[in-house]
Amino acid sequence: MSKNNINKVSLAGLVIALGIIYGDIGTSPLYVLKAILNHDLIPSGRFPELIIGGISCIIWTLTLQTTIKYVVLTLRADNRGEGGIFSLYALVRRQKKWLVVPAMIGGAALLADGIITPPVTVTSAIEGLELIPAFAGITREMIVLIVMSIICVLFFMQQFGTYNIGKMFGPIMLAWFVMMALLGGSHLMDNLGVLKAFNPYYAIRLLIDYPGGFWLLGAVFLCTTGAEALYSDLGHCGRKNIYVTWVFVKICLIMNYLGQGSWLLAQYKEGQLDLGRNPFFAVMPDSFRLVGILIATAAAVIASQALISGSFTLISEALRLNLWPKMKIKYPSEEKGQVYIPGINTLLWIGCLAIVLHFQESSKMEAAYGLAITLCMISTSILFANYLIGKRIKKVWVALYLLVYLVIELSFLGANLNKFPHGGYVAIIVGGILFGVMYVWFRSRKIKNRYVEFVRLEHYVPMIQELSNDKTIPMYSTHLVYMTSANNPKEIEHKIIYSILNRKPKRADIYWFVHVDIVDDPYTTEFIVEHIIPNDIIRVEFRLGFRVEQKIQLMMKRVVEELYANKEVNITSRYESLERNNISGDFQFVVLEKFLSNDNELPFFEKLIMRYYFWLKKISLGEEKGFGLDSSYVQVEKFPLIVSPTRSLHLKRIYPEGEE
């Protein structure tokens, strides 16, 4: 879909939406009822209560959490068509400074969940082979090997972009949902008592009266884990395409859950119940089971895609919002919202393989699944409530929204905490590390900004002009371009002035000071030019959206061309021989790279923050590459960052004997 019609309902858009964003939530029938049945020993005579109450919880979770919260409400909080927790944060960050904390927690939790989703879904599908007589002897090692091979292929395909993946996966997911609806519908008549699950009374009764019923919410929650990815992938498919497809997807999901429940109730009534079998595969006819497993495996791969593509979107936003170290970003196609980040792809790939090797069985992975994403959903609720306040929605409605969804999500969190010792710690540890990276990157910026020294540019303009006209100093470059972080156009970093005048006087014909301002709108591309001294000192400010790739060198070329065409600047070299032949002068970019000076006295915690920051900076993309500058045109100058100067040293001079 092109940028212009991404929000229009189209056949292509509907197919791509099915292929990209519904994988996670669409494959939940593979393991949700299995997880509910594996909860604990089932009290005698209470099996129907467990099944009807469990499916009732699933139906109302899909209704309240996925449909109302995400599809109806949260999708409205799009940032020019883009979704995800950081897009939402960009809309509300100017309201309250502390909102960055839930944004970072939610982002880290969503990334941590992306490491667990591929293993649990793919393993659940492959384990279906154990129900086929021809594969009865398949070993656990063979299942693990097959799962790891599928995951490796999936991550290899990411470099080709989600648009290409969506075109291939869409028809498969369509077949998957149709298959689920038909399988569920074919068993619906087995026991019509399952239809009582539409009544929320049975869900409430299960949670209150059933032994350990509250803890079943940890298994029920698995049916809605993909809702956050649905919001994150909004920019890939468009809101209207999601509205249409969700109606179809929800009907197919509920029909399958009802069919599984009806079959289980019938088996229980006939005394043939086998809790060791996954009811999703058990409801399939024997002759169709192999085909069903193949389709389920393909759908499981697509389930992984929902979180992977969402992770790429998430990190690209975090980069622009200065919440994550700079990384290389690729754009596989010209389609809106299509990004690929090799570094994140590699980290997710290694993490997924480690999860498969560590847990090996899907039932054990389910224990680790869901805890992190609950934190993400709570964070989204907090941010969306502030979005509603910004839209001047009546406070009573905002309070009602928070009350309803914080009660629901804190209940899910409480139930999921039971998973912590059984594998949930993995997601929390991974999420904690990712949050640590974001916090250090954000906090270190605040620490640095407290001590960055800005000076009034007007005080140094005469000296810079004199230097430019001083022919006793060798010409450094015709055009000298400095990247400045000064938001005020009247100010400049003292280190830049020091670089020009003191460190090694840099004579140039024209000095350019370039500032990049990241704005809340995702796709803004504007620039402002201020001629401080015409044809001598020029400031250019780029106003770029948090989704725009910072190709500063190409952008500067475009700016200079426009200024030259308007006769606002003379770019011809001022060397006499070159000027006679109308040859343009060269451009040289100077990037100032900081390092932590030893002349610092910081509190212990801030010292740790700064050391961790500079370590992250060392292993991440360099400043010049982050700005999209060609290294052959860049001079990197290192200077010490003295964040907190040491106290004055008291030194006493001692004279040799005989001297005074």
Side-chain angles (χ1 to χ4, degrees):
M1 290 177 293
S2 68
K3 184 175 180 178
N4 294 328
N5 63 16
I6 192 169
N7 281 317
K8 295 180 181 178
V9 176
S10 64
L11 181 61
L14 296 174
V15 172
I16 289 173
L18 286 175
I20 293 177
I21 67 175
Y22 289 116
D24 188 3
I25 202 166
T27 52
S28 56
L30 272 171
Y31 45 79
V32 173
L33 272 176
K34 180 167 76 91
I36 291 174
L37 293 173
N38 288 342
H39 177 64
D40 268 321
L41 290 175
I42 301 170
S44 177
R46 304 194 71 173
F47 184 77
E49 182 183 344
L50 173 65
I51 296 302
I52 295 172
I55 295 176
S56 183
C57 285
I58 291 169
I59 291 172
W60 286 99
T61 297
L62 288 172
T63 300
L64 294 173
Q65 193 71 11
T66 311
T67 305
I68 297 178
K69 180 187 173 181
Y70 281 96
V71 177
V72 175
L73 295 176
T74 312
L75 285 187
R76 294 179 181 274
D78 69 299
N79 199 330
R80 276 191 62 187
E82 296 299 336
I85 195 162
F86 285 136
S87 286
L88 182 56
Y89 166 65
L91 291 171
V92 301
R93 61 175 173 166
R94 302 190 190 282
Q95 292 178 220
K96 297 179 179 69
K97 292 183 179 179
W98 61 266
L99 289 175
V100 70
V101 176
M104 290 190 294
I105 291 174
L110 189 59
L111 283 171
D113 194 61
I115 293 176
I116 302 176
T117 297
V120 71
T121 50
V122 176
T123 305
S124 295
I126 297 301
E127 284 177 346
L129 292 173
E130 295 174 327
L131 298 179
I132 298 178
F135 294 92
I138 191 169
T139 62
R140 177 55 50 183
E141 290 74 17
M142 182 59 69
I143 290 175
V144 168
L145 184 62
I146 294 172
V147 171
M148 292 177 67
S149 300
I150 291 171
I151 288 174
C152 288
V153 172
L154 172 65
F155 280 99
F156 173 76
M157 291 177 63
Q158 296 304 311
Q159 61 191 300
F160 302 112
T162 53
Y163 184 72
N164 295 321
I165 291 173
K167 286 193 294 186
M168 182 173 62
F169 283 178
I172 297 174
M173 287 305 292
L174 178 61
W176 164 256
F177 286 118
V178 170
M179 181 191 82
M180 282 202 302
L182 293 176
L183 287 174
S186 67
H187 286 279
L188 199 57
M189 300 298 292
D190 290 359
N191 191 318
L192 288 176
V194 76
L195 296 178
K196 291 189 288 186
F198 283 105
N199 188 340
Y201 164 78
Y202 293 94
I204 297 169
R205 182 180 169 186
L206 178 75
L207 299 178
I208 296 175
D209 292 341
Y210 192 84
F214 175 79
W215 303 111
L216 284 168
L217 283 177
V220 171
F221 181 73
L222 298 178
C223 76
T224 190
T225 51
E228 192 68 39
L230 181 150
Y231 180 44
S232 296
D233 286 327
L234 173 61
H236 294 259
C237 310
R239 183 167 56 201
K240 292 181 180 178
N241 287 306
I242 294 175
Y243 284 163
V244 174
T245 51
W246 173 242
V247 175
F248 167 72
V249 168
K250 186 180 179 183
I251 290 171
C252 294
L253 288 173
I254 291 177
M255 283 189 67
N256 189 264
Y257 284 124
L258 291 172
Q260 288 187 53
S262 181
W263 180 84
L264 284 167
L265 290 173
Q267 293 290 302
Y268 171 76
K269 189 174 182 180
E270 295 169 8
Q272 299 177 356
L273 184 64
D274 180 4
L275 293 178
R277 303 176 72 191
N278 185 338
F280 181 85
F281 294 112
V283 298
M284 295 180 180
D286 293 339
S287 59
F288 180 76
R289 190 165 289 136
L290 180 58
V291 176
I293 289 172
L294 291 175
I295 297 175
T297 303
V301 170
I302 298 164
S304 309
Q305 182 59 51
L307 263 295
I308 295 170
S309 59
S311 298
F312 293 155
T313 302
L314 194 79
I315 289 297
S316 66
E317 292 174 349
L319 282 167
R320 309 302 180 212
L321 294 169
N322 281 311
L323 296 176
W324 191 267
K326 287 182 170 61
M327 301 186 78
K328 188 174 184 180
I329 299 179
K330 293 185 177 181
Y331 297 83
S333 71
E334 295 299 318
E335 303 302 322
K336 181 180 177 183
Q338 310 297 303
V339 294
Y340 166 65
I341 306 176
I344 294 299
N345 193 62
T346 302
L347 286 175
L348 290 175
W349 172 62
I350 293 172
C352 288
L353 294 184
I355 292 290
V356 173
L357 289 172
H358 178 67
F359 290 106
Q360 298 198 357
E361 298 177 21
S362 64
S363 58
K364 294 179 180 177
M365 295 177 195
E366 289 158 11
Y369 195 32
L371 180 54
I373 203 68
T374 318
L375 296 174
C376 185
M377 289 184 172
I378 293 171
S379 298
T380 299
S381 295
I382 293 170
L383 294 173
F384 185 71
N386 282 273
Y387 171 80
L388 294 176
I389 292 172
K391 290 293 182 180
R392 302 188 183 280
I393 303 297
K394 289 183 179 180
K395 290 185 178 179
V396 64
W397 294 115
V398 177
L400 180 62
Y401 168 83
L402 273 178
L403 176 65
V404 170
Y405 283 104
L406 286 184
V407 167
I408 291 173
E409 287 160 1
L410 287 174
S411 298
F412 279 128
L413 177 62
N416 277 316
L417 286 174
N418 194 42
K419 298 180 177 182
F420 186 84
H422 306 290
Y425 62 87
V426 173
I428 296 300
I429 291 172
V430 173
I433 292 171
L434 295 170
F435 175 79
V437 172
M438 292 185 193
Y439 180 78
V440 165
W441 202 258
F442 173 78
R443 179 66 179 159
S444 61
R445 183 179 175 84
K446 296 295 182 184
I447 295 171
K448 288 187 301 175
N449 288 346
R450 290 206 309 258
Y451 299 99
V452 172
E453 184 182 358
F454 293 100
V455 294
R456 300 290 293 183
L457 184 56
E458 61 193 33
H459 296 162
Y460 295 91
V461 165
M463 284 183 271
I464 295 174
Q465 281 185 291
E466 284 186 37
L467 175 62
S468 180
N469 296 321
D470 188 351
K471 296 190 177 181
T472 63
I473 298 175
M475 180 72 75
Y476 188 84
S477 176
T478 304
H479 301 270
L480 192 57
V481 186
Y482 278 90
M483 305 300 300
T484 173
S485 61
N487 294 318
N488 188 341
K490 304 292 183 184
E491 294 181 340
I492 196 77
E493 293 100 313
H494 180 265
K495 293 297 181 184
I496 291 179
I497 298 299
Y498 179 84
S499 173
I500 294 173
L501 300 176
N502 300 92
R503 186 163 191 161
K504 177 185 177 183
K506 296 179 178 62
R507 177 173 162 241
D509 290 334
I510 301 179
Y511 294 88
W512 302 77
F513 299 126
V514 178
H515 176 67
V516 179
D517 182 25
I518 304 300
V519 298
D520 297 341
D521 188 290
Y523 292 106
T524 296
T525 49
E526 301 170 346
F527 68 91
I528 302 169
V529 177
E530 182 179 349
H531 296 274
I532 299 170
I533 301 293
N535 263 328
D536 234 346
I537 303 175
I538 303 172
R539 176 185 164 98
V540 179
E541 179 174 319
F542 291 105
R543 300 182 72 253
L544 306 178
F546 61 86
R547 283 287 185 89
V548 176
E549 188 178 8
Q550 295 179 16
K551 296 183 177 181
I552 301 303
Q553 189 161 335
L554 291 176
M555 292 178 178
M556 271 298 294
K557 184 178 180 181
R558 172 69 181 85
V559 170
V560 171
E561 287 174 353
E562 182 170 318
L563 294 178
Y564 180 70
N566 294 337
K567 298 183 179 179
E568 295 179 64
V569 67
N570 179 17
I571 62 172
T572 306
S573 173
R574 295 181 192 176
Y575 286 110
E576 292 182 4
S577 59
L578 299 179
E579 190 174 17
R580 282 196 301 269
N581 293 289
N582 200 32
I583 295 176
S584 299
D586 65 313
F587 279 79
Q588 184 73 27
F589 289 83
V590 178
V591 175
L592 302 180
E593 191 173 281
K594 309 173 187 70
F595 65 89
L596 189 61
S597 170
N598 291 324
D599 299 330
N600 280 301
E601 281 194 1
L602 285 169
F604 176 74
F605 181 68
E606 290 192 351
K607 188 179 292 185
L608 284 179
I609 291 285
M610 296 309 296
R611 285 182 177 175
Y612 190 18
Y613 164 75
F614 280 104
W615 178 76
L616 288 172
K617 196 173 177 65
K618 188 180 295 185
I619 63 174
S620 61
L621 207 62
E623 291 281 350
E624 68 279 8
K625 292 181 179 178
F627 283 122
L629 303 177
D630 188 333
S631 58
S632 61
Y633 294 95
V634 178
Q635 173 67 36
V636 178
E637 288 190 1
K638 295 188 177 183
F639 69 92
L641 176 66
I642 302 178
V643 179
S644 182
T646 57
R647 292 186 294 270
S648 57
L649 295 174
H650 299 286
L651 291 175
K652 180 181 179 182
R653 182 177 179 182
I654 301 176
Y655 292 92
E657 290 186 14
E659 293 186 17
E660 292 185 1

